[in-house]
């Protein structure tokens, strides 16, 4: 347990959170009966992880994977390489003009990734969102999947909103504010609730062809 709550490190941590959610809310018990065990989904922390999240903003998984593969092939996986490539090199690897600008801003930001662990979730998000191209969603995804914080939730994610709409039989997708309020009931395991809703969205997409 860190100063700022539980850190998810293993699948056992996710299992414990899933059990808590299923006990606290039968909707999650029904969800996990359909999805099966929830994935760990942890990624290494640091510059490259945050850059990958930026790359994945507002594009399909297939497109993001293709761009990441081209960036790996070009060796664009650290600050020095990204700075050296510049706008031309990043665009050649498949980044849009705005994302190339964001990648360069991130490379120049000199973030102490190890040092972020001493700060609360809100402080980490405030620090990350000072960098151009990093909005709340990007910072929240980093805190959740790269830092392993167990009680983080990105309410602005459309997949989570749609999954919550179906799971809780809501008349419309909840707004980010509405979903954030709903998620308060899932604390201290909001990151596991997010994993559950992501898994449920994938299940629904295969079953119902959701866009």
């Amino acid at each position: 347990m860190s100063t700022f709550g539980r850190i998810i490190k293993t699948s056992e941590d996710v299992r414990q959170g899933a059990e808590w959610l299923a006990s606290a809310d039968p909707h999650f018990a029904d969800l996990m009966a359909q999805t099966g065990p929830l994935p760990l989904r942890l990624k290494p922390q640091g510059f490259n992880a945050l850059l990958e999240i930026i790359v994945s903003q507002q594009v399909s998984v297939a497109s993001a994977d293709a761009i990441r593969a081209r960036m790996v092939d070009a060796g664009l996986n650290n600050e020095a390489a990204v700075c050296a490539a510049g706008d031309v090199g990043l665009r050649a690897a498949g980044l849009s003009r705005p994302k190339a600008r964001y990648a360069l801003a991130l490379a120049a930001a000199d973030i102490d990734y190890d040092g972020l662990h001493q700060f609360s979730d809100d402080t980490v998000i405030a620090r990350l969102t000072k960098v151009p191209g990093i909005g709340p969603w990007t910072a929240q995804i980093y805190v959740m999947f790269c830092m392993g914080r167990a009680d983080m939730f990105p309410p602005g994610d459309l997949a989570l909103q749609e999954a919550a709409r179906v799971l809780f039989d809501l008349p419309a997708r909840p707004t980010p504010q509405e979903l954030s309020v709903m998620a308060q009931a899932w604390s201290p395991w909001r990151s596991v609730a997010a994993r559950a809703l992501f898994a449920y969205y994938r299940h629904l997409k295969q079953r119902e062809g959701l866009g």
Side-chain angles (χ1 to χ4, degrees), residues 62-137:
S63 295
D65 287 345
I67 295 170
R68 281 194 290 265
R70 291 173 68 177
M71 294 183 71
V72 169
D73 289 343
L76 299 174
N77 57 3
N78 59 71
E79 291 96 329
V82 167
C83 288
D87 180 76
V88 173
L90 294 170
R91 295 291 305 282
L95 291 184
S96 65
R97 190 177 299 278
K99 287 188 179 179
R101 185 170 69 251
Y102 300 155
L104 290 168
L106 178 63
D110 194 28
I111 296 172
D112 178 6
Y113 293 96
D114 289 336
L116 291 177
H117 288 279
Q118 66 182 300
F119 299 113
S120 69
D121 295 345
D122 288 345
T123 300
V124 172
I125 289 170
R127 286 173 176 253
L128 293 180
T129 53
K130 289 180 180 179
V131 180
I134 299 180
W137 178 87

Side-chain angles (χ1 to χ4, degrees), residues 46-47 64 80 100 127 150 173 185:
F47 169 79
R127 286 173 176 253
R173 286 181 182 174

